[in-house]
Structure formats: structure tokens, C-alpha cells
Amino acid sequence: SQQGEEDPQALSIQEGENATMNCSYKTSINNLQWYRQNSGRGLVHLILIRSNEREKHSGRLRVTLDTSKKSSSLLITASRAADTASYFCATDSLFYFGTGTSLTVIP
Amino acid sequence: DAGVIQSPRHEVTEMGQEVTLRCKPISGHDYLFWYRQTMMRGLELLIYFNNNVPIDDSGMPEDRFSAKMPNASFSTLKIQPSEPRDSAVYFCASSLGFGSNTPLHFGNGTRLTVT
């Protein structure tokens, strides 16, 4: 399966702290995407990283990819209450999403 | 761009009734996906279309589920007859092109409750 699995399942931090969540997958990929889902809403695309990239930045988001370990991490720096959401990774097929990491940022 | 539009936002129905969920993809997008999300199973792909043609419906749980895309701007997902275990949030998503370098654009879903 090319399904990505997020870890941890849930994460609770104080506003201003950094949040790190991880994604592991089983087969070789060309690209990996991260999505955010706010409560009661659909998923929103955050960032895409290609297999030949090791790190990518977008505002307060930093994504890393380690193809040798078949894993990716999403770092949110200086978290805000508005970052409270579930975060999902999706690998090549985009057909399969993991169960996500539920992030709570406490004001 | 209004994004992907789904209706209704909430649907409550009794077991055995027919349910129809609707989706309007982003104009110009040639791929449309239907997903189902539950706490237990996460986000599951049910079916996807390319240029209004169903490509893969292997995720459709059973014959009670059917999906159509009569034109590029409209798709429906029908459940007949509905059962309590169909209760979930159903999402429609569209994309321009297909592949892992193409982001999906999701609607805000239809929360279905079958009593």
C-alpha cells in the first residue's frame, strides 16, 4: 500500500511552541503532499515535496523528506490557536490518506 | 473561484431511504473524487472520474452505492437503501490533471446521519 500513516495520532502544545508531526509510507514515491483539515471542513492542500527534495519551506511550515527511511515530517513553527486542525499526508496515488494527526494549540 | 461545492451540508434520514449527495467541482478540473470519512476508517476513496467517466469504483462499499457524473460541472453519489453504518462525512474533491504532483481541492463535505 502507498498509504501514508501519520504519527502521533494526537498532539497538544502551547501557542508559540513548534509542532512536529510525521508521516511514514511503505513504497517508493515520486511526491508527497500534506493537507490540513479544520473541524467540519474539507481538506486543504498545504505543501508538496518531490522525491528529489529533502526540505521545503512555506511560511511557518517546514517539510522534510527522507526517502531512505520512507518518512516525512511537517514542522509548524511558532504555532497559533488557528493551527488547531488535523494534518494528513498523502503519497503518490492520492487515493489513500492516513488517519491524520490531530493538533491542538492551546492559547 | 467558489471552490468545490457540496450539498446538502447535513443530511438526516431514516434507514431504508434513498440519499443523494451532490457535488459541483471547480470549473476546468477534469478529475473528480468521492471520499468517505469516519472516525474508525479515516478517509477512504470511493470512486473517481476523469472527464465525466468513472475510472475506478473499487472503493464503493456495495451495490447500494452508485455515482454519476452527467456533465463536467455536476456529480452525484446515491445510496439506496441507506443503512445506519453509512453514517459518515462524504467529501467530493476535484483536481486539474492526475498525479501526485497535483493537489486535490476538497469541498466541505456532507455529514450523513442514518437513523
Side-chain angles (χ1 to χ4, degrees):
Chain A
S1 168
Q2 291 181 300
Q3 183 173 0
E5 289 294 342
E6 298 85 0
D7 168 65
Q9 283 193 319
L11 181 61
S12 182
I13 60 173
Q14 295 289 329
E15 198 165 35
E17 294 180 340
N18 296 339
T20 299
M21 51 209 87
N22 306 295
C23 170
S24 60
Y25 55 92
K26 296 181 179 178
T27 61
S28 297
I29 62 170
N30 295 308
N31 304 288
L32 186 143
Q33 301 185 24
W34 283 93
Y35 288 78
R36 181 189 74 231
Q37 183 180 30
N38 290 92
S39 179
R41 314 285 280 189
L43 278 70
V44 174
H45 180 259
L46 293 177
I47 196 167
L48 180 151
I49 187 165
R50 304 183 193 285
S51 61
N52 62 355
E53 297 176 310
R54 291 296 168 260
E55 188 171 310
K56 198 164 183 179
H57 296 254
S58 177
R60 294 183 297 110
L61 304 181
R62 174 187 167 225
V63 170
T64 61
L65 180 64
D66 187 334
T67 53
S68 66
K69 295 181 179 179
K70 293 186 171 58
S71 68
S72 173
S73 66
L74 171 66
L75 169 67
I76 303 173
T77 60
S79 64
R80 306 167 180 169
D83 295 327
T84 295
S86 292
Y87 293 82
F88 297 83
C89 65
T91 54
D92 278 345
S93 72
L94 294 183
F95 296 165
Y96 305 102
F97 290 79
T99 52
T101 291
S102 177
L103 173 66
T104 301
V105 181
I106 303 167
Chain B
D1 189 346
V4 175
I5 299 173
Q6 291 187 245
S7 65
R9 286 281 281 141
H10 302 274
E11 178 78 45
V12 180
T13 191
E14 291 183 348
M15 182 174 62
Q17 297 297 306
E18 177 180 297
V19 175
T20 300
L21 312 180
R22 298 172 176 78
C23 174
K24 177 179 169 56
I26 292 173
S27 178
H29 281 191
D30 52 351
Y31 282 85
L32 183 140
F33 305 80
W34 282 100
Y35 290 87
R36 178 172 68 175
Q37 186 176 39
T38 61
M39 290 290 289
M40 292 295 293
R41 301 173 68 89
L43 197 64
E44 307 171 276
L45 176 70
L46 301 178
I47 185 172
Y48 77 96
F49 295 81
N50 173 222
N51 291 326
N52 315 337
V53 177
I55 302 301
D56 186 348
D57 65 354
S58 59
M60 297 285 261
E62 45 195 282
D63 292 345
R64 298 184 297 105
F65 286 70
S66 62
K68 295 182 179 179
M69 193 165 184
N71 57 62
S73 59
F74 184 65
S75 177
T76 60
L77 178 67
K78 185 179 293 186
I79 308 172
Q80 165 64 17
S82 58
E83 297 182 2
R85 58 194 169 119
D86 301 330
S87 296
V89 182
Y90 291 81
F91 287 100
C92 175
S94 69
S95 66
L96 182 61
F98 179 84
S100 59
N101 61 346
T102 304
L104 295 176
H105 299 260
F106 283 78
N108 283 324
T110 295
R111 181 174 295 277
L112 173 65
T113 302
V114 184
T115 60

